[in-house]
Amino acid sequence: MEVERDITKEMEQTKIHHKKRQVMIFIIWMLLWEAGSESIQYSVLEETESGTLVANLTKDLGLRMGELAVRRARVVFKGNRQYLQFDPLTYDLLLNEKLDREELCGSTEPCVLPFQVLLENPLQFFQAALVVRDINDHAPEFPAREMLLKISEITTPGKLFPLKMAQDLDAGSNSLQSYIISSNPHFHVLTRNRKDGRKSPEMVLDKALDREEQPELRLTLTALDGGSPPRSGTTEIHILVLDINDNAPEFAQEFYEAQVSENSTLGSLVITLSATDLDSGSFGEVFYALFQVDDVNQPFEINPNTGEIRLRKTLDFEEIQSYHVDVEATDGGGLSEKCSLVIKVLDVNDNAPEVTVSSLISPIPENLPEIINFYTLVTEGALDRESRAEYNITITVTDMGTPRLKTEHNITVLVSDVNDNAPAFTQASYTLRVRENNSPALHIGTVSATDTDAGANAQVTYSLLPPADPHVPLASLVSINADNGHLFALRSLDYEALRAFEFRVGAADRGSPPLSSQALVRVLVEDDNDNAPFLLKATEPGLFGVWAHNGEVRTARPLSERDAARHRLLVLVKDNGEPPLSASVTLHVLLVDGFSQPHLPPPEAEAEAAAAAPADPLTVYLVVALASVSSLFLFSVLVFVAVRLCGRGGAARAGRCSVPEGPFPGHLVDVSGTGTLSHSYQYEVCLRGGTGTSEFKFLKPILPNFSPQATGKEMEENSTVRNSFLFS
């Protein structure tokens, strides 16, 4: 029993030792990623085309032909961005993409991209690095096209004037190397190497200036790099010669240093600079300004009166560790002095550690020594964001010991959207109705489409598609709001000219590539009845009306005994032309109480009316003369007739007019509820000259019974009345 207990104890110690060894191997592998003992280094020029051969790894690593493919070699860079790839046939190391040294490393030189080569079965890795060499693809560039300098005419020769530096994104010999200035008798330029490695120009006064002789100068400053051939950039120096200001501001020192934490709040004071000027008055007033200002990247600002430099943008130590700032102090006379300020950014612990994970897709036996097992999470099929946009996955790791121990890890997987759904209209076709004579820009309807995608893939834009009929002027009829699908009539529509038209609208999303759909829109123009006749004037308003569709004149209410017997109606009809044209007709309506009575008043009433009217003397004379002549003529005719008929023994008798006996037709039209007269009323219509007879139906005229005593004038008047009133 004691021997078994010792053996068990020894096995447990061996097991614990084996686990510790695996953990140590994993830790050493992670540390070697950062440190790396020996590394292979390759170099490539920036802007080299992708697919260019970089190295033969089989030869460089001392491996057998085909061993890289068998052991499934992989290249792993930090940040999971693959700058290199293997040739699938030869496993030579090729460039995966064009590299831009300035984008990858900025001003850092050399530009080194470390990577690892991982091999399986057995697990093995090699440290390597890719050096991106610079080419002269950038020219020096000044921050401004013009520099303004104000120099006193009493400035002595030998005075130095610092100028704004040019910037060149290239590195090494391709970076900025020197400055030259256009030929002139007063200045030459020097190239000074700064402590930060940059080169700045300084202009030296060779000959004293005379404002009265030459108040200003314009010189050209050129910056040259070391490329072959060299590239250059220029700026113009505008020099104003100032009069009698013999003291320039002076800083206490030429170089200042300051420190600021990267988590400092905006507006925090960084440093206060001070310069003094021995002059008095405006020449002794000093104003401060940042000399070389980049408004986009400059995180500092200076108070022009106090010289306080404060923070205006958030700092990030991991991005930039220090700033070089030039400060200029200028007095009221235009003289200036400059100093340099280095502001160092202090790091704070504001970034969590990052872990770079690389996976080897291969089953590994569990009994192989010094092997770390990797697992991958894969999808079983295609995902659909519209069905499910998020998955919460719990990974559980369980050992086979007794009791079993497990560890759980939660992973949230978000499904990103792709543009796989086209916009869909709520209807396949739309029918819109708009009444004619509408006002321009009238909203006549809305089309709507929805897209089940997300973000820009779901943003719908509407448009009018070209009509199938090229004769339909769609662009002048309707327009559509591209954002909400509102449709507007661009001009007034006319039912008589265009009763209906149709067109198609499109809805497209803003995905890449965009997807779209269409819908048919029919527009029906409704008649506004604007050409119908209407009753312009009536003797008794409200008694009669005109039907808009057929022009029939009908009663608007039942008639009564209190209504007048005679009515005069004026009916007008006009079109919508430009200018509008119209026509009118006058209708005379006579109301009678049944057709058994004559249409006109009896002769007695006519005689009484004539007798009641005052007689005109001239009319009386004419009537008497006419009666005398007529009587004489009638007498002569009677004598002649009597002589001729004397032998025949026939006596002439005078005839009498009479109205035919018999019932009057009673088949009048009666439409209940439509405004037509009832059976107890009849009416007549009188037409005046110019009115056609094809639109009316005439029956027999009803002749009144005249007495023999009626005068000729009465006969004529009654005949006129008889011919003017007809029944329709």
Side-chain angles (χ1 to χ4, degrees):
M1 293 297 292
E2 185 175 354
V3 174
E4 291 179 358
R5 190 179 299 110
D6 293 338
I7 294 174
T8 303
K9 185 176 181 180
E10 184 177 354
M11 291 178 63
E12 290 178 353
Q13 291 178 350
T14 303
K15 187 175 182 181
I16 293 173
H17 178 73
H18 182 67
K19 288 183 178 181
K20 289 183 177 180
R21 185 180 182 186
Q22 288 183 338
V23 173
M24 290 299 297
I25 291 174
F26 178 76
I27 294 174
I28 293 173
W29 181 77
M30 293 298 293
L31 291 176
L32 286 176
W33 173 270
E34 298 295 336
S37 55
E38 297 180 3
S39 63
I40 306 172
Q41 194 173 85
Y42 302 101
S43 66
V44 64
L45 287 175
E46 68 171 330
E47 305 298 332
T48 301
E49 294 294 332
S50 62
T52 302
L53 176 65
V54 175
N56 185 339
L57 274 183
T58 302
K59 179 180 178 181
D60 294 343
L61 299 179
L63 302 176
R64 299 185 303 275
M65 289 296 295
E67 186 175 355
L68 289 176
V70 173
R71 297 180 63 181
R72 298 189 180 184
R74 299 185 62 189
V75 176
V76 180
F77 282 85
K78 285 186 177 181
N80 294 327
R81 184 173 176 181
Q82 294 299 108
Y83 302 108
L84 299 175
Q85 63 179 355
F86 282 111
D87 188 302
L89 298 178
T90 64
Y91 264 69
D92 289 335
L93 202 57
L94 307 179
L95 196 62
N96 192 34
E97 64 180 90
K98 268 188 179 182
L99 302 180
D100 187 348
R101 192 203 65 81
E102 288 76 27
E103 176 187 351
L104 295 173
C105 300
S107 60
T108 303
E109 183 65 20
C111 181
V112 180
L113 303 177
F115 66 94
Q116 284 185 339
V117 179
L118 300 181
L119 304 178
E120 296 180 24
N121 295 328
L123 179 64
Q124 189 177 7
F125 61 90
F126 300 91
Q127 298 289 341
L130 178 65
V131 179
V132 182
R133 302 198 310 273
D134 182 65
I135 62 174
N136 192 22
D137 57 344
H138 294 87
E141 184 177 355
F142 287 93
R145 294 184 178 180
E146 182 181 281
M147 299 183 192
L148 179 63
L149 292 179
K150 297 179 181 180
I151 303 176
S152 175
E153 64 177 348
I154 63 172
T155 304
T156 59
K159 173 70 175 178
L160 296 177
F161 298 93
L163 302 176
K164 296 180 180 179
M165 295 180 296
Q167 294 182 353
D168 192 337
L169 298 179
D170 294 325
S173 61
N174 293 326
S175 64
L176 190 149
Q177 299 296 322
S178 62
Y179 297 89
I180 59 175
I181 198 169
S182 58
S183 177
N184 69 95
H186 294 282
F187 300 94
H188 74 276
V189 69
L190 297 177
T191 302
R192 185 176 297 277
N193 295 322
R194 295 166 56 102
K195 293 182 179 179
D196 57 0
R198 296 186 293 174
K199 292 179 171 57
S200 63
E202 291 184 351
M203 192 170 61
V204 183
L205 180 63
D206 296 328
K207 180 182 177 182
L209 301 172
D210 187 356
R211 190 189 67 83
E212 286 73 21
E213 179 183 347
Q214 191 174 6
E216 64 178 303
L217 294 87
R218 290 187 178 272
L219 306 176
T220 301
L221 178 65
T222 304
L224 301 172
D225 65 15
S228 180
R231 291 175 176 261
S232 63
T234 61
T235 185
E236 187 178 71
I237 303 176
H238 184 198
I239 302 174
L240 295 179
V241 182
L242 303 180
D243 190 24
I244 310 175
N245 183 21
D246 54 349
N247 288 286
E250 292 183 0
F251 288 95
Q253 56 192 68
E254 294 183 358
F255 184 80
Y256 292 86
E257 286 188 357
Q259 295 179 342
V260 59
S261 299
E262 66 174 334
N263 62 348
S264 298
T265 59
L266 299 182
S268 299
L269 178 63
V270 178
I271 191 175
T272 300
L273 300 180
S274 178
T276 59
D277 194 324
L278 299 179
D279 295 325
S280 60
S282 61
F283 291 149
E285 295 178 359
V286 180
F287 302 95
Y288 303 90
L290 298 181
F291 183 64
Q292 190 151 352
V293 179
D294 186 352
D295 292 334
V296 177
N297 300 319
Q298 180 61 261
F300 305 101
E301 61 184 1
I302 189 169
N303 188 309
N305 298 315
T306 64
E308 294 178 348
I309 295 180
R310 295 183 179 273
L311 188 64
R312 62 184 286 264
K313 287 181 62 177
T314 304
L315 302 177
D316 188 359
F317 175 83
E318 286 70 28
E319 183 178 353
I320 299 177
Q321 291 78 37
S322 64
Y323 293 87
H324 294 263
V325 181
D326 292 333
V327 180
E328 181 181 38
T330 306
D331 63 15
L335 296 181
S336 62
E337 186 66 34
K338 300 175 181 64
C339 72
S340 297
L341 171 64
V342 175
I343 302 176
K344 295 182 179 179
V345 182
L346 300 180
D347 186 32
V348 295
N349 191 19
D350 59 345
N351 292 282
E354 294 181 0
V355 178
T356 302
V357 179
S358 60
S359 60
L360 299 175
I361 306 175
S362 175
I364 301 174
E366 64 174 354
N367 58 354
L368 290 180
E370 300 180 357
I371 292 298
I372 302 175
N373 293 307
F374 292 86
Y375 297 90
T376 58
L377 180 65
V378 298
T379 59
E380 294 183 349
L383 302 179
D384 185 8
R385 190 201 63 82
E386 287 72 32
S387 299
R388 188 171 181 181
E390 180 178 330
Y391 294 86
N392 294 319
I393 302 172
T394 301
I395 299 176
T396 304
V397 181
T398 306
D399 60 21
M400 302 302 295
T402 303
R404 292 188 176 184
L405 301 178
K406 67 178 181 179
T407 300
E408 293 184 351
H409 184 72
N410 296 323
I411 298 176
T412 299
V413 178
L414 301 178
V415 183
S416 60
D417 183 54
V418 296
N419 193 23
D420 57 350
N421 292 280
F425 281 94
T426 56
Q427 301 174 214
S429 63
Y430 296 81
T431 300
L432 307 179
R433 299 179 183 272
V434 56
R435 187 170 294 276
E436 67 171 335
N437 302 324
N438 60 284
S439 60
L442 176 68
H443 178 221
I444 61 175
T446 301
V447 297
S448 178
T450 57
D451 195 316
T452 56
D453 291 324
N457 296 333
Q459 296 179 3
V460 180
T461 301
Y462 301 91
S463 62
L464 296 178
L465 300 181
D469 186 0
H471 300 291
V472 176
L474 183 62
S476 63
L477 291 175
V478 294
S479 68
I480 190 170
N481 188 308
D483 297 325
N484 52 31
H486 289 350
L487 291 168
F488 300 90
L490 295 180
R491 60 181 175 88
S492 180
L493 301 178
D494 187 3
Y495 172 80
E496 287 72 26
L498 181 64
R499 299 190 176 186
F501 61 93
E502 64 181 26
F503 55 91
R504 305 192 75 85
V505 295
D509 57 31
R510 298 184 179 179
S512 180
L515 302 179
S516 61
S517 61
Q518 302 179 8
L520 180 66
V521 178
R522 297 183 181 91
V523 178
L524 304 180
V525 183
E526 296 183 343
D527 189 12
D528 201 18
N529 217 8
D530 52 356
N531 297 321
F534 61 92
L535 189 59
L536 182 63
K537 186 177 181 181
T539 304
E540 185 175 343
L543 181 57
F544 296 96
V546 180
W547 276 36
H549 299 287
N550 53 20
E552 293 181 355
V553 179
R554 300 193 178 190
T555 57
R557 60 173 176 80
L559 300 175
S560 65
E561 295 179 355
R562 292 178 295 180
D563 293 325
R566 295 175 183 270
H567 295 270
R568 181 175 179 271
L569 308 178
L570 180 60
V571 180
L572 178 70
V573 62
K574 68 176 182 178
D575 58 23
N576 284 323
E578 185 62 36
L581 302 178
S582 63
S584 62
V585 64
T586 302
L587 304 179
H588 292 273
V589 180
L590 176 65
L591 304 181
V592 297
D593 189 9
F595 286 96
S596 61
Q597 297 182 0
H599 286 76
L600 297 178
E604 292 78 9
E606 293 286 345
E608 292 175 0
D616 187 7
L618 180 59
T619 304
V620 173
Y621 295 152
L622 292 176
V623 171
V624 171
L626 182 61
S628 301
V629 174
S630 299
S631 300
L632 181 59
F633 176 75
L634 181 60
F635 178 75
S636 301
V637 172
L638 290 176
V639 171
F640 177 76
V641 173
V643 172
R644 295 294 300 267
L645 296 179
C646 183
R648 298 180 185 178
R653 295 184 302 174
R656 175 178 297 181
C657 294
S658 61
V659 179
E661 299 281 338
F664 194 84
H667 50 279
L668 298 179
V669 179
D670 182 15
V671 182
S672 301
T674 60
T676 305
L677 295 175
S678 62
H679 281 295
S680 61
Y681 291 90
Q682 295 82 28
Y683 65 95
E684 289 182 342
V685 178
C686 174
L687 302 179
R688 292 203 167 182
T691 305
T693 60
S694 62
E695 299 181 3
F696 297 89
K697 181 178 181 182
F698 295 92
L699 300 179
K700 289 183 179 181
I702 300 176
L703 302 178
N705 190 10
F706 297 99
S707 62
Q709 294 80 9
T711 64
K713 181 178 181 181
E714 294 172 347
M715 291 284 290
E716 183 180 355
E717 291 176 353
N718 289 332
S719 176
T720 303
V721 173
R722 180 196 64 186
N723 293 330
S724 301
F725 288 85
L726 300 176
F727 178 81
S728 172

